[in-house]
PDB file of all heavy atoms in Angstrom:
ATOM      1  N   THR A 749     -17.245   4.815 -29.645  1.00  0.00           N
ATOM      2  CA  THR A 749     -16.215   5.164 -30.630  1.00  0.00           C
ATOM      3  C   THR A 749     -15.769   6.616 -30.522  1.00  0.00           C
ATOM      4  O   THR A 749     -14.557   6.891 -30.459  1.00  0.00           O
ATOM      5  CB  THR A 749     -16.685   4.850 -32.053  1.00  0.00           C
ATOM      6  OG1 THR A 749     -16.876   3.432 -32.181  1.00  0.00           O
ATOM      7  CG2 THR A 749     -15.673   5.308 -33.093  1.00  0.00           C
ATOM      8  N   PRO A 750     -16.678   7.595 -30.486  1.00  0.00           N
ATOM      9  CA  PRO A 750     -16.201   8.978 -30.333  1.00  0.00           C
ATOM     10  C   PRO A 750     -15.524   9.232 -28.994  1.00  0.00           C
ATOM     11  O   PRO A 750     -14.618  10.056 -28.900  1.00  0.00           O
ATOM     12  CB  PRO A 750     -17.467   9.827 -30.497  1.00  0.00           C
ATOM     13  CG  PRO A 750     -18.603   8.901 -30.260  1.00  0.00           C
ATOM     14  CD  PRO A 750     -18.140   7.554 -30.709  1.00  0.00           C
ATOM     15  N   ILE A 751     -15.944   8.508 -27.948  1.00  0.00           N
ATOM     16  CA  ILE A 751     -15.282   8.646 -26.643  1.00  0.00           C
ATOM     17  C   ILE A 751     -13.853   8.130 -26.744  1.00  0.00           C
ATOM     18  O   ILE A 751     -12.904   8.770 -26.262  1.00  0.00           O
ATOM     19  CB  ILE A 751     -16.068   7.898 -25.553  1.00  0.00           C
ATOM     20  CG1 ILE A 751     -17.428   8.569 -25.324  1.00  0.00           C
ATOM     21  CG2 ILE A 751     -15.267   7.840 -24.252  1.00  0.00           C
ATOM     22  CD1 ILE A 751     -18.326   7.823 -24.367  1.00  0.00           C
ATOM     23  N   ARG A 752     -13.670   6.968 -27.375  1.00  0.00           N
ATOM     24  CA  ARG A 752     -12.321   6.427 -27.527  1.00  0.00           C
ATOM     25  C   ARG A 752     -11.437   7.383 -28.326  1.00  0.00           C
ATOM     26  O   ARG A 752     -10.275   7.622 -27.979  1.00  0.00           O
ATOM     27  CB  ARG A 752     -12.356   5.068 -28.218  1.00  0.00           C
ATOM     28  CG  ARG A 752     -10.961   4.414 -28.294  1.00  0.00           C
ATOM     29  CD  ARG A 752     -10.892   3.236 -29.251  1.00  0.00           C
ATOM     30  NE  ARG A 752     -11.874   2.218 -28.916  1.00  0.00           N
ATOM     31  CZ  ARG A 752     -12.962   1.968 -29.639  1.00  0.00           C
ATOM     32  NH1 ARG A 752     -13.210   2.691 -30.722  1.00  0.00           N
ATOM     33  NH2 ARG A 752     -13.794   1.029 -29.282  1.00  0.00           N
ATOM     34  N   GLU A 753     -11.976   7.948 -29.393  1.00  0.00           N
ATOM     35  CA  GLU A 753     -11.196   8.877 -30.203  1.00  0.00           C
ATOM     36  C   GLU A 753     -10.782  10.091 -29.381  1.00  0.00           C
ATOM     37  O   GLU A 753      -9.644  10.571 -29.489  1.00  0.00           O
ATOM     38  CB  GLU A 753     -12.004   9.311 -31.422  1.00  0.00           C
ATOM     39  CG  GLU A 753     -12.226   8.188 -32.432  1.00  0.00           C
ATOM     40  CD  GLU A 753     -13.066   8.629 -33.607  1.00  0.00           C
ATOM     41  OE1 GLU A 753     -13.528   9.797 -33.609  1.00  0.00           O
ATOM     42  OE2 GLU A 753     -13.276   7.814 -34.528  1.00  0.00           O
ATOM     43  N   PHE A 754     -11.685  10.576 -28.547  1.00  0.00           N
ATOM     44  CA  PHE A 754     -11.360  11.716 -27.683  1.00  0.00           C
ATOM     45  C   PHE A 754     -10.286  11.334 -26.671  1.00  0.00           C
ATOM     46  O   PHE A 754      -9.328  12.084 -26.434  1.00  0.00           O
ATOM     47  CB  PHE A 754     -12.619  12.191 -26.972  1.00  0.00           C
ATOM     48  CG  PHE A 754     -12.377  13.197 -25.883  1.00  0.00           C
ATOM     49  CD1 PHE A 754     -12.130  14.532 -26.179  1.00  0.00           C
ATOM     50  CD2 PHE A 754     -12.390  12.817 -24.543  1.00  0.00           C
ATOM     51  CE1 PHE A 754     -11.899  15.464 -25.175  1.00  0.00           C
ATOM     52  CE2 PHE A 754     -12.167  13.738 -23.532  1.00  0.00           C
ATOM     53  CZ  PHE A 754     -11.916  15.064 -23.858  1.00  0.00           C
ATOM     54  N   LEU A 755     -10.422  10.165 -26.055  1.00  0.00           N
ATOM     55  CA  LEU A 755      -9.470   9.744 -25.029  1.00  0.00           C
ATOM     56  C   LEU A 755      -8.082   9.503 -25.610  1.00  0.00           C
ATOM     57  O   LEU A 755      -7.068   9.741 -24.933  1.00  0.00           O
ATOM     58  CB  LEU A 755      -9.963   8.468 -24.343  1.00  0.00           C
ATOM     59  CG  LEU A 755     -11.216   8.577 -23.482  1.00  0.00           C
ATOM     60  CD1 LEU A 755     -11.650   7.196 -23.003  1.00  0.00           C
ATOM     61  CD2 LEU A 755     -10.991   9.497 -22.289  1.00  0.00           C
ATOM     62  N   GLU A 756      -8.026   9.032 -26.836  1.00  0.00           N
ATOM     63  CA  GLU A 756      -6.744   8.643 -27.410  1.00  0.00           C
ATOM     64  C   GLU A 756      -6.093   9.752 -28.230  1.00  0.00           C
ATOM     65  O   GLU A 756      -4.982   9.557 -28.746  1.00  0.00           O
ATOM     66  CB  GLU A 756      -6.924   7.383 -28.260  1.00  0.00           C
ATOM     67  CG  GLU A 756      -7.338   6.179 -27.419  1.00  0.00           C
ATOM     68  CD  GLU A 756      -7.507   4.897 -28.221  1.00  0.00           C
ATOM     69  OE1 GLU A 756      -7.424   4.966 -29.469  1.00  0.00           O
ATOM     70  OE2 GLU A 756      -7.719   3.825 -27.597  1.00  0.00           O
ATOM     71  N   ARG A 757      -6.767  10.881 -28.331  1.00  0.00           N
ATOM     72  CA  ARG A 757      -6.144  12.001 -29.028  1.00  0.00           C
ATOM     73  C   ARG A 757      -4.910  12.434 -28.259  1.00  0.00           C
ATOM     74  O   ARG A 757      -4.924  12.520 -27.031  1.00  0.00           O
ATOM     75  CB  ARG A 757      -7.141  13.157 -29.143  1.00  0.00           C
ATOM     76  CG  ARG A 757      -6.741  14.241 -30.130  1.00  0.00           C
ATOM     77  CD  ARG A 757      -7.879  15.216 -30.333  1.00  0.00           C
ATOM     78  NE  ARG A 757      -9.070  14.521 -30.809  1.00  0.00           N
ATOM     79  CZ  ARG A 757     -10.250  14.573 -30.215  1.00  0.00           C
ATOM     80  NH1 ARG A 757     -10.397  15.269 -29.108  1.00  0.00           N
ATOM     81  NH2 ARG A 757     -11.274  13.921 -30.708  1.00  0.00           N
ATOM     82  N   SER A 758      -3.836  12.711 -28.956  1.00  0.00           N
ATOM     83  CA  SER A 758      -2.573  13.043 -28.291  1.00  0.00           C
ATOM     84  C   SER A 758      -2.710  14.336 -27.505  1.00  0.00           C
ATOM     85  O   SER A 758      -3.542  15.196 -27.800  1.00  0.00           O
ATOM     86  CB  SER A 758      -1.454  13.182 -29.315  1.00  0.00           C
ATOM     87  OG  SER A 758      -1.641  14.330 -30.115  1.00  0.00           O
ATOM     88  N   ALA A 759      -1.862  14.467 -26.500  1.00  0.00           N
ATOM     89  CA  ALA A 759      -1.895  15.662 -25.661  1.00  0.00           C
ATOM     90  C   ALA A 759      -1.636  16.913 -26.474  1.00  0.00           C
ATOM     91  O   ALA A 759      -2.213  17.968 -26.228  1.00  0.00           O
ATOM     92  CB  ALA A 759      -0.866  15.537 -24.537  1.00  0.00           C
ATOM     93  N   SER A 760      -0.775  16.817 -27.491  1.00  0.00           N
ATOM     94  CA  SER A 760      -0.444  18.003 -28.280  1.00  0.00           C
ATOM     95  C   SER A 760      -1.634  18.488 -29.080  1.00  0.00           C
ATOM     96  O   SER A 760      -1.903  19.690 -29.164  1.00  0.00           O
ATOM     97  CB  SER A 760       0.723  17.702 -29.226  1.00  0.00           C
ATOM     98  OG  SER A 760       0.381  16.647 -30.117  1.00  0.00           O
ATOM     99  N   THR A 761      -2.406  17.552 -29.671  1.00  0.00           N
ATOM    100  CA  THR A 761      -3.562  17.979 -30.447  1.00  0.00           C
ATOM    101  C   THR A 761      -4.736  18.334 -29.552  1.00  0.00           C
ATOM    102  O   THR A 761      -5.701  18.924 -30.015  1.00  0.00           O
ATOM    103  CB  THR A 761      -4.004  16.876 -31.427  1.00  0.00           C
ATOM    104  OG1 THR A 761      -4.293  15.681 -30.702  1.00  0.00           O
ATOM    105  CG2 THR A 761      -2.928  16.597 -32.447  1.00  0.00           C
ATOM    106  N   SER A 762      -4.686  17.964 -28.263  1.00  0.00           N
ATOM    107  CA  SER A 762      -5.743  18.339 -27.331  1.00  0.00           C
ATOM    108  C   SER A 762      -5.466  19.673 -26.659  1.00  0.00           C
ATOM    109  O   SER A 762      -6.302  20.186 -25.932  1.00  0.00           O
ATOM    110  CB  SER A 762      -5.897  17.263 -26.245  1.00  0.00           C
ATOM    111  OG  SER A 762      -6.389  16.067 -26.792  1.00  0.00           O
ATOM    112  N   ASN A 763      -4.298  20.242 -26.882  1.00  0.00           N
ATOM    113  CA  ASN A 763      -3.953  21.523 -26.281  1.00  0.00           C
ATOM    114  C   ASN A 763      -4.776  22.627 -26.910  1.00  0.00           C
ATOM    115  O   ASN A 763      -4.777  22.806 -28.126  1.00  0.00           O
ATOM    116  CB  ASN A 763      -2.456  21.802 -26.482  1.00  0.00           C
ATOM    117  CG  ASN A 763      -2.003  23.017 -25.713  1.00  0.00           C
ATOM    118  OD1 ASN A 763      -2.504  24.112 -25.934  1.00  0.00           O
ATOM    119  ND2 ASN A 763      -1.060  22.820 -24.812  1.00  0.00           N
ATOM    120  N   HIS A 764      -5.486  23.391 -26.094  1.00  0.00           N
ATOM    121  CA  HIS A 764      -6.389  24.403 -26.621  1.00  0.00           C
ATOM    122  C   HIS A 764      -5.664  25.409 -27.506  1.00  0.00           C
ATOM    123  O   HIS A 764      -6.216  25.875 -28.491  1.00  0.00           O
ATOM    124  CB  HIS A 764      -7.075  25.136 -25.460  1.00  0.00           C
ATOM    125  CG  HIS A 764      -8.094  24.288 -24.768  1.00  0.00           C
ATOM    126  ND1 HIS A 764      -8.922  24.771 -23.801  1.00  0.00           N
ATOM    127  CD2 HIS A 764      -8.408  22.974 -24.903  1.00  0.00           C
ATOM    128  CE1 HIS A 764      -9.715  23.798 -23.354  1.00  0.00           C
ATOM    129  NE2 HIS A 764      -9.415  22.713 -24.012  1.00  0.00           N
ATOM    130  N   SER A 765      -4.450  25.754 -27.147  1.00  0.00           N
ATOM    131  CA  SER A 765      -3.761  26.790 -27.886  1.00  0.00           C
ATOM    132  C   SER A 765      -3.300  26.335 -29.255  1.00  0.00           C
ATOM    133  O   SER A 765      -2.921  27.138 -30.087  1.00  0.00           O
ATOM    134  CB  SER A 765      -2.552  27.285 -27.086  1.00  0.00           C
ATOM    135  OG  SER A 765      -1.622  26.220 -26.912  1.00  0.00           O
ATOM    136  N   SER A 766      -3.311  24.997 -29.503  1.00  0.00           N
ATOM    137  CA  SER A 766      -2.788  24.487 -30.763  1.00  0.00           C
ATOM    138  C   SER A 766      -3.875  24.087 -31.740  1.00  0.00           C
ATOM    139  O   SER A 766      -3.597  23.501 -32.771  1.00  0.00           O
ATOM    140  CB  SER A 766      -1.871  23.280 -30.493  1.00  0.00           C
ATOM    141  OG  SER A 766      -2.625  22.211 -29.953  1.00  0.00           O
ATOM    142  N   ARG A 767      -5.157  24.383 -31.441  1.00  0.00           N
ATOM    143  CA  ARG A 767      -6.230  23.975 -32.333  1.00  0.00           C
ATOM    144  C   ARG A 767      -6.166  24.769 -33.642  1.00  0.00           C
ATOM    145  O   ARG A 767      -6.070  25.991 -33.632  1.00  0.00           O
ATOM    146  CB  ARG A 767      -7.600  24.255 -31.700  1.00  0.00           C
ATOM    147  CG  ARG A 767      -7.799  23.596 -30.341  1.00  0.00           C
ATOM    148  CD  ARG A 767      -8.043  22.130 -30.467  1.00  0.00           C
ATOM    149  NE  ARG A 767      -8.572  21.626 -29.211  1.00  0.00           N
ATOM    150  CZ  ARG A 767      -8.676  20.347 -28.917  1.00  0.00           C
ATOM    151  NH1 ARG A 767      -8.299  19.458 -29.768  1.00  0.00           N
ATOM    152  NH2 ARG A 767      -9.175  19.963 -27.760  1.00  0.00           N
ATOM    153  N   PRO A 768      -6.293  24.088 -34.790  1.00  0.00           N
ATOM    154  CA  PRO A 768      -6.408  24.819 -36.040  1.00  0.00           C
ATOM    155  C   PRO A 768      -7.784  25.437 -36.171  1.00  0.00           C
ATOM    156  O   PRO A 768      -8.743  24.994 -35.539  1.00  0.00           O
ATOM    157  CB  PRO A 768      -6.184  23.725 -37.091  1.00  0.00           C
ATOM    158  CG  PRO A 768      -6.624  22.454 -36.421  1.00  0.00           C
ATOM    159  CD  PRO A 768      -6.258  22.631 -34.966  1.00  0.00           C
ATOM    160  N   ALA A 769      -7.888  26.452 -36.992  1.00  0.00           N
ATOM    161  CA  ALA A 769      -9.181  27.115 -37.189  1.00  0.00           C
ATOM    162  C   ALA A 769     -10.195  26.124 -37.724  1.00  0.00           C
ATOM    163  O   ALA A 769      -9.898  25.306 -38.602  1.00  0.00           O
ATOM    164  CB  ALA A 769      -9.014  28.276 -38.183  1.00  0.00           C
ATOM    165  N   GLY A 770     -11.410  26.169 -37.192  1.00  0.00           N
ATOM    166  CA  GLY A 770     -12.494  25.311 -37.651  1.00  0.00           C
ATOM    167  C   GLY A 770     -12.462  23.915 -37.066  1.00  0.00           C
ATOM    168  O   GLY A 770     -13.263  23.058 -37.439  1.00  0.00           O
ATOM    169  N   TRP A 771     -11.533  23.651 -36.109  1.00  0.00           N
ATOM    170  CA  TRP A 771     -11.417  22.308 -35.538  1.00  0.00           C
ATOM    171  C   TRP A 771     -12.719  21.855 -34.911  1.00  0.00           C
ATOM    172  O   TRP A 771     -13.160  20.726 -35.112  1.00  0.00           O
ATOM    173  CB  TRP A 771     -10.302  22.307 -34.485  1.00  0.00           C
ATOM    174  CG  TRP A 771     -10.110  20.973 -33.826  1.00  0.00           C
ATOM    175  CD1 TRP A 771      -9.266  19.989 -34.217  1.00  0.00           C
ATOM    176  CD2 TRP A 771     -10.781  20.474 -32.669  1.00  0.00           C
ATOM    177  NE1 TRP A 771      -9.366  18.914 -33.384  1.00  0.00           N
ATOM    178  CE2 TRP A 771     -10.286  19.176 -32.426  1.00  0.00           C
ATOM    179  CE3 TRP A 771     -11.757  20.991 -31.814  1.00  0.00           C
ATOM    180  CZ2 TRP A 771     -10.735  18.408 -31.368  1.00  0.00           C
ATOM    181  CZ3 TRP A 771     -12.199  20.213 -30.770  1.00  0.00           C
ATOM    182  CH2 TRP A 771     -11.693  18.943 -30.556  1.00  0.00           C
ATOM    183  N   TRP A 772     -13.364  22.737 -34.130  1.00  0.00           N
ATOM    184  CA  TRP A 772     -14.589  22.361 -33.416  1.00  0.00           C
ATOM    185  C   TRP A 772     -15.705  22.001 -34.382  1.00  0.00           C
ATOM    186  O   TRP A 772     -16.401  21.013 -34.227  1.00  0.00           O
ATOM    187  CB  TRP A 772     -14.995  23.498 -32.507  1.00  0.00           C
ATOM    188  CG  TRP A 772     -16.386  23.415 -31.918  1.00  0.00           C
ATOM    189  CD1 TRP A 772     -17.357  24.352 -31.970  1.00  0.00           C
ATOM    190  CD2 TRP A 772     -16.949  22.337 -31.168  1.00  0.00           C
ATOM    191  NE1 TRP A 772     -18.477  23.939 -31.310  1.00  0.00           N
ATOM    192  CE2 TRP A 772     -18.249  22.697 -30.808  1.00  0.00           C
ATOM    193  CE3 TRP A 772     -16.462  21.092 -30.767  1.00  0.00           C
ATOM    194  CZ2 TRP A 772     -19.080  21.880 -30.083  1.00  0.00           C
ATOM    195  CZ3 TRP A 772     -17.308  20.261 -30.039  1.00  0.00           C
ATOM    196  CH2 TRP A 772     -18.588  20.668 -29.708  1.00  0.00           C
ATOM    197  N   GLN A 773     -15.856  22.783 -35.459  1.00  0.00           N
ATOM    198  CA  GLN A 773     -16.919  22.503 -36.412  1.00  0.00           C
ATOM    199  C   GLN A 773     -16.687  21.158 -37.105  1.00  0.00           C
ATOM    200  O   GLN A 773     -17.621  20.374 -37.305  1.00  0.00           O
ATOM    201  CB  GLN A 773     -17.004  23.627 -37.448  1.00  0.00           C
ATOM    202  CG  GLN A 773     -17.559  24.935 -36.892  1.00  0.00           C
ATOM    203  CD  GLN A 773     -16.522  25.724 -36.116  1.00  0.00           C
ATOM    204  OE1 GLN A 773     -15.356  25.344 -36.070  1.00  0.00           O
ATOM    205  NE2 GLN A 773     -16.952  26.828 -35.517  1.00  0.00           N
ATOM    206  N   ARG A 774     -15.432  20.866 -37.461  1.00  0.00           N
ATOM    207  CA  ARG A 774     -15.143  19.592 -38.126  1.00  0.00           C
ATOM    208  C   ARG A 774     -15.365  18.416 -37.184  1.00  0.00           C
ATOM    209  O   ARG A 774     -15.870  17.366 -37.581  1.00  0.00           O
ATOM    210  CB  ARG A 774     -13.700  19.585 -38.648  1.00  0.00           C
ATOM    211  CG  ARG A 774     -13.483  20.547 -39.816  1.00  0.00           C
ATOM    212  CD  ARG A 774     -12.178  20.209 -40.545  1.00  0.00           C
ATOM    213  NE  ARG A 774     -11.018  20.368 -39.693  1.00  0.00           N
ATOM    214  CZ  ARG A 774     -10.385  21.533 -39.512  1.00  0.00           C
ATOM    215  NH1 ARG A 774     -10.835  22.626 -40.120  1.00  0.00           N
ATOM    216  NH2 ARG A 774      -9.319  21.618 -38.739  1.00  0.00           N
ATOM    217  N   LEU A 775     -14.974  18.576 -35.905  1.00  0.00           N
ATOM    218  CA  LEU A 775     -15.177  17.490 -34.945  1.00  0.00           C
ATOM    219  C   LEU A 775     -16.658  17.219 -34.732  1.00  0.00           C
ATOM    220  O   LEU A 775     -17.094  16.067 -34.708  1.00  0.00           O
ATOM    221  CB  LEU A 775     -14.519  17.824 -33.610  1.00  0.00           C
ATOM    222  CG  LEU A 775     -14.728  16.774 -32.510  1.00  0.00           C
ATOM    223  CD1 LEU A 775     -14.097  15.452 -32.932  1.00  0.00           C
ATOM    224  CD2 LEU A 775     -14.157  17.244 -31.201  1.00  0.00           C
ATOM    225  N   ARG A 776     -17.455  18.275 -34.599  1.00  0.00           N
ATOM    226  CA  ARG A 776     -18.898  18.077 -34.392  1.00  0.00           C
ATOM    227  C   ARG A 776     -19.498  17.323 -35.564  1.00  0.00           C
ATOM    228  O   ARG A 776     -20.334  16.446 -35.396  1.00  0.00           O
ATOM    229  CB  ARG A 776     -19.593  19.424 -34.206  1.00  0.00           C
ATOM    230  CG  ARG A 776     -19.260  20.102 -32.904  1.00  0.00           C
ATOM    231  CD  ARG A 776     -20.175  21.256 -32.629  1.00  0.00           C
ATOM    232  NE  ARG A 776     -21.524  20.776 -32.318  1.00  0.00           N
ATOM    233  CZ  ARG A 776     -22.519  21.570 -31.939  1.00  0.00           C
ATOM    234  NH1 ARG A 776     -22.326  22.863 -31.827  1.00  0.00           N
ATOM    235  NH2 ARG A 776     -23.706  21.073 -31.681  1.00  0.00           N
ATOM    236  N   HIS A 777     -19.051  17.670 -36.795  1.00  0.00           N
ATOM    237  CA  HIS A 777     -19.589  16.973 -37.957  1.00  0.00           C
ATOM    238  C   HIS A 777     -19.190  15.501 -37.929  1.00  0.00           C
ATOM    239  O   HIS A 777     -19.995  14.607 -38.190  1.00  0.00           O
ATOM    240  CB  HIS A 777     -19.070  17.637 -39.234  1.00  0.00           C
ATOM    241  CG  HIS A 777     -19.458  16.884 -40.483  1.00  0.00           C
ATOM    242  ND1 HIS A 777     -20.738  16.881 -40.999  1.00  0.00           N
ATOM    243  CD2 HIS A 777     -18.723  16.082 -41.309  1.00  0.00           C
ATOM    244  CE1 HIS A 777     -20.783  16.139 -42.078  1.00  0.00           C
ATOM    245  NE2 HIS A 777     -19.579  15.632 -42.290  1.00  0.00           N
ATOM    246  N   ARG A 778     -17.919  15.210 -37.580  1.00  0.00           N
ATOM    247  CA  ARG A 778     -17.436  13.846 -37.558  1.00  0.00           C
ATOM    248  C   ARG A 778     -18.148  13.030 -36.487  1.00  0.00           C
ATOM    249  O   ARG A 778     -18.529  11.879 -36.702  1.00  0.00           O
ATOM    250  CB  ARG A 778     -15.925  13.823 -37.330  1.00  0.00           C
ATOM    251  CG  ARG A 778     -15.319  12.431 -37.326  1.00  0.00           C
ATOM    252  CD  ARG A 778     -13.841  12.493 -37.632  1.00  0.00           C
ATOM    253  NE  ARG A 778     -13.165  13.326 -36.663  1.00  0.00           N
ATOM    254  CZ  ARG A 778     -12.714  12.865 -35.494  1.00  0.00           C
ATOM    255  NH1 ARG A 778     -12.893  11.621 -35.150  1.00  0.00           N
ATOM    256  NH2 ARG A 778     -12.062  13.669 -34.660  1.00  0.00           N
ATOM    257  N   LEU A 779     -18.346  13.625 -35.311  1.00  0.00           N
ATOM    258  CA  LEU A 779     -19.060  12.923 -34.251  1.00  0.00           C
ATOM    259  C   LEU A 779     -20.495  12.627 -34.666  1.00  0.00           C
ATOM    260  O   LEU A 779     -21.040  11.579 -34.379  1.00  0.00           O
ATOM    261  CB  LEU A 779     -19.024  13.734 -32.970  1.00  0.00           C
ATOM    262  CG  LEU A 779     -17.663  13.840 -32.276  1.00  0.00           C
ATOM    263  CD1 LEU A 779     -17.784  14.759 -31.066  1.00  0.00           C
ATOM    264  CD2 LEU A 779     -17.136  12.489 -31.875  1.00  0.00           C
ATOM    265  N   ALA A 780     -21.114  13.589 -35.349  1.00  0.00           N
ATOM    266  CA  ALA A 780     -22.511  13.396 -35.770  1.00  0.00           C
ATOM    267  C   ALA A 780     -22.630  12.208 -36.701  1.00  0.00           C
ATOM    268  O   ALA A 780     -23.589  11.435 -36.652  1.00  0.00           O
ATOM    269  CB  ALA A 780     -23.028  14.666 -36.441  1.00  0.00           C
ATOM    270  N   THR A 781     -21.633  12.012 -37.584  1.00  0.00           N
ATOM    271  CA  THR A 781     -21.701  10.893 -38.501  1.00  0.00           C
ATOM    272  C   THR A 781     -21.480   9.558 -37.823  1.00  0.00           C
ATOM    273  O   THR A 781     -21.791   8.518 -38.364  1.00  0.00           O
ATOM    274  CB  THR A 781     -20.658  11.055 -39.621  1.00  0.00           C
ATOM    275  OG1 THR A 781     -19.343  11.044 -39.037  1.00  0.00           O
ATOM    276  CG2 THR A 781     -20.870  12.348 -40.391  1.00  0.00           C
ATOM    277  N   ASN A 782     -20.955   9.575 -36.585  1.00  0.00           N
ATOM    278  CA  ASN A 782     -20.706   8.341 -35.845  1.00  0.00           C
ATOM    279  C   ASN A 782     -21.896   7.919 -34.985  1.00  0.00           C
ATOM    280  O   ASN A 782     -21.830   6.905 -34.317  1.00  0.00           O
ATOM    281  CB  ASN A 782     -19.482   8.496 -34.929  1.00  0.00           C
ATOM    282  CG  ASN A 782     -18.194   8.412 -35.699  1.00  0.00           C
ATOM    283  OD1 ASN A 782     -18.153   7.791 -36.758  1.00  0.00           O
ATOM    284  ND2 ASN A 782     -17.154   9.044 -35.183  1.00  0.00           N
TER     285      ASN A 782
END
């Protein structure tokens, strides 16, 4: 499931320069719950 979510994330939201602040921390928490 987390692999599919990563693969299907749009190119725009996967662009490093467009990440909102705290994105990595929120993703790690979401992956942990999965």
Side-chain angles (χ1 to χ4, degrees):
T749 296
I751 293 174
R752 185 194 304 109
E753 291 178 357
F754 170 78
L755 292 174
E756 295 181 353
R757 194 171 302 125
S758 69
S760 60
T761 57
S762 293
N763 188 300
H764 288 187
S765 63
S766 65
R767 304 285 195 192
W771 179 91
W772 167 233
Q773 289 79 5
R774 291 196 297 275
L775 177 62
R776 290 192 70 175
H777 174 74
R778 181 158 58 86
L779 290 176
T781 63
N782 283 334

